[in-house]
Amino acid sequence: MRDAVIVEAVRTPIGRGRPNGSLHEVHPVDLLAHSLRAVVDRTGIDPALVDDVIGGVVTQVGEQAANVTRRAALAAGFPESVPAVTVDRQCGSSQQAIHFAAQGVIAGAYDVVIAAGVESMSRVPMGANLVGTADPYGPALAERYPDGLVQQGISAELIAARWRLGRTRMDEFALASHDRAARATESGLFKREIAPLPRLHRDEGIRVGSDLDTLAGLRPAYYDEEIARRFPQIGWNVTAANASQINDGSAAVMITTSELAARLGLTPLARLHSFAVAGDDPLYMLTAVVPATRKVLRRAGLDLADIDLFEVNEAFAAVVLAWADETGADLDRVNVHGGAIALGHPLGASGARLTATLVHALAERGGRYGLQTMCEAGGLANATIVERLG
């Protein structure tokens, strides 16, 4: 039976998604092309062997519209014969790209495929693809949810209220994310996964020297009087400090079979062991990481205790803490090199970024199994289990 293995996983440093961010001047096509070139250069394979490039992008408008992955593959210098496609599963877009790529390899539709993702949030702001849209939901969906759905920040507040997550606990989690990311950076633990850019060599959003007193002074990020009346249980504890950043970045993962990797002289980093995608309440929106985690463990025939490292996207501290409370996962094994609160969350790139961090962290620590999950708009989540090889 064919398998799917990761032979290389790279990412750019993550820049602040602002006009003054270090990657603002880099066109998203070039930003993705950089990771695509790097993943091919590091393996040394002929890019003509690539059967497909599957890229994840969330805000597919403007410079990121019209199958940006194809333009990036051409910009990376790949032969014109190499096809490419762009997918959107919101924040899990490039994790879904990895699933599609691995499933294609296992099925025999591909021999070598690159799964990737990009988001330049400084150049293409989140939500720009909905500008001018009077009603993105439609009457049938509105009839099903007559009270109306809410934006992600409010969902995070609802999660914090339901799981009784106070401001201090979320702020402590955020400080720990920055501390872990800073220590990983200073220790050189990101060097294996980062492909530096001329404008940026290390992640730009990591902050050190803050404390709980400073964070306690921040105002709620999503306070709304009408929402407060509708949901009186909300404590308004989500701030800019305990939520993910707005960022620019890209990442790429090369996937093939273990047999072909051996023929090409490549040493696999990990086997893509099991996959799952799950849906949950779209009002709470970000909770599907819990059923997705349970689903992928069942499919893998593994228990939570079998997992050495977890990567759970830090869209909000509330999401990861609620997930940990529900699953019983040990937070000491979660996001050991920091997460999106510190490193950043370039939407379409984050799934592949988490994979790059996970497989290299497993190698560095000698772990066997890693589990990655990503909350996604609409009440969705992907979950992936990888098994370190070698």
Side-chain angles (χ1 to χ4, degrees):
M1 179 178 174
R2 289 167 64 100
D3 61 0
V5 298
I6 296 170
V7 292
E8 189 56 83
V10 304
R11 66 176 179 93
T12 66
I14 300 172
R16 292 192 185 95
R18 308 290 185 187
N20 61 354
S22 295
L23 300 182
H24 174 66
E25 298 302 322
V26 183
H27 194 288
V29 169
D30 292 340
L31 192 58
L32 180 52
H34 182 77
S35 288
L36 296 180
R37 275 194 301 270
V39 80
V40 167
D41 289 347
R42 291 186 181 190
T43 59
I45 74 161
D46 182 350
L49 294 176
V50 176
D51 291 306
D52 206 355
V53 181
I54 307 173
V57 183
V58 173
T59 309
Q60 296 186 28
V61 69
E63 294 173 348
Q64 294 181 168
N67 195 9
V68 65
T69 310
R70 169 63 171 171
R71 301 198 303 281
L74 294 173
F78 288 12
E80 294 173 349
S81 59
V82 176
V85 66
T86 303
V87 301
D88 173 11
R89 201 190 286 275
Q90 296 295 280
C91 294
S93 294
S94 56
Q95 186 171 353
Q96 183 62 60
I98 291 169
H99 286 199
F100 284 153
Q103 290 158 1
V105 167
I106 292 168
Y110 299 132
D111 289 320
V112 179
V113 61
I114 297 173
V118 67
E119 206 81 31
S120 178
M121 300 177 76
S122 68
R123 297 174 69 97
V124 186
M126 183 169 55
N129 51 340
L130 293 175
V131 171
T133 302
D135 177 15
Y137 297 111
L141 187 64
E143 184 178 349
R144 180 169 182 176
Y145 300 98
D147 293 330
L149 299 175
V150 296
Q151 56 132 313
Q152 290 190 33
I154 302 302
S155 294
E157 288 281 11
L158 289 169
I159 290 168
R162 175 179 285 184
W163 274 269
R164 296 181 174 85
L165 303 171
R167 175 74 169 270
T168 299
R169 188 179 176 197
M170 292 194 291
D171 285 350
E172 286 175 342
F173 181 86
L175 289 172
S177 181
H178 284 280
D179 180 63
R180 289 177 171 187
R183 285 188 282 112
T185 300
E186 296 307 318
S187 300
L189 297 179
F190 289 134
K191 286 185 177 179
R192 185 66 184 83
E193 68 193 66
I194 287 181
L197 286 149
R199 295 174 181 269
L200 191 63
H201 293 258
R202 56 195 289 170
D203 300 310
E204 194 171 24
I206 303 170
R207 297 185 296 271
V208 294
S210 192
D211 54 36
L212 283 175
D213 289 339
T214 301
L215 299 194
L218 296 178
R219 300 174 63 180
Y222 300 100
Y223 179 77
D224 180 282
E225 288 187 12
E226 183 177 344
I227 294 293
R229 287 192 294 270
R230 179 181 171 188
F231 301 110
Q233 72 270 33
I234 288 179
W236 302 107
N237 290 315
V238 176
T239 70
N242 56 45
S244 59
Q245 303 177 38
I246 293 172
N247 297 95
D248 301 339
S250 73
V253 176
M254 185 177 289
I255 299 168
T256 184
T257 67
S258 55
E259 180 183 358
L260 184 54
R263 292 211 307 267
L264 294 172
L266 301 174
T267 301
L269 295 169
R271 178 170 70 98
L272 286 147
H273 187 287
S274 299
F275 322 95
V277 63
D280 207 2
D281 184 350
L283 178 64
Y284 279 75
M285 192 183 300
L286 311 170
T287 56
V289 289
V290 174
T293 296
R294 291 171 176 158
K295 188 175 182 179
V296 79
L297 286 169
R298 286 196 305 271
R299 286 188 171 173
L302 298 172
D303 295 322
L304 201 71
D306 295 317
I307 306 301
D308 297 291
L309 295 177
F310 299 89
E311 283 289 328
V312 184
N313 192 47
E314 294 174 3
F316 300 91
V319 172
V320 186
L321 292 172
W323 169 88
D325 286 354
E326 279 294 311
T327 62
D330 179 2
L331 283 172
D332 288 339
R333 292 184 283 144
V334 179
N335 303 348
V336 293
H337 293 167
I341 288 173
L343 298 172
H345 182 17
L347 307 175
S350 287
R353 195 286 293 171
L354 264 64
T355 301
T357 300
L358 180 58
V359 296
H360 291 301
L362 281 171
E364 187 264 330
R365 291 170 177 251
R368 181 178 181 184
Y369 291 113
L371 188 153
Q372 169 186 334
T373 189
M374 171 85 68
C375 59
E376 301 150 2
L380 302 170
N382 281 76
T384 314
I385 291 176
V386 299
E387 180 182 12
R388 183 180 68 88
L389 300 176

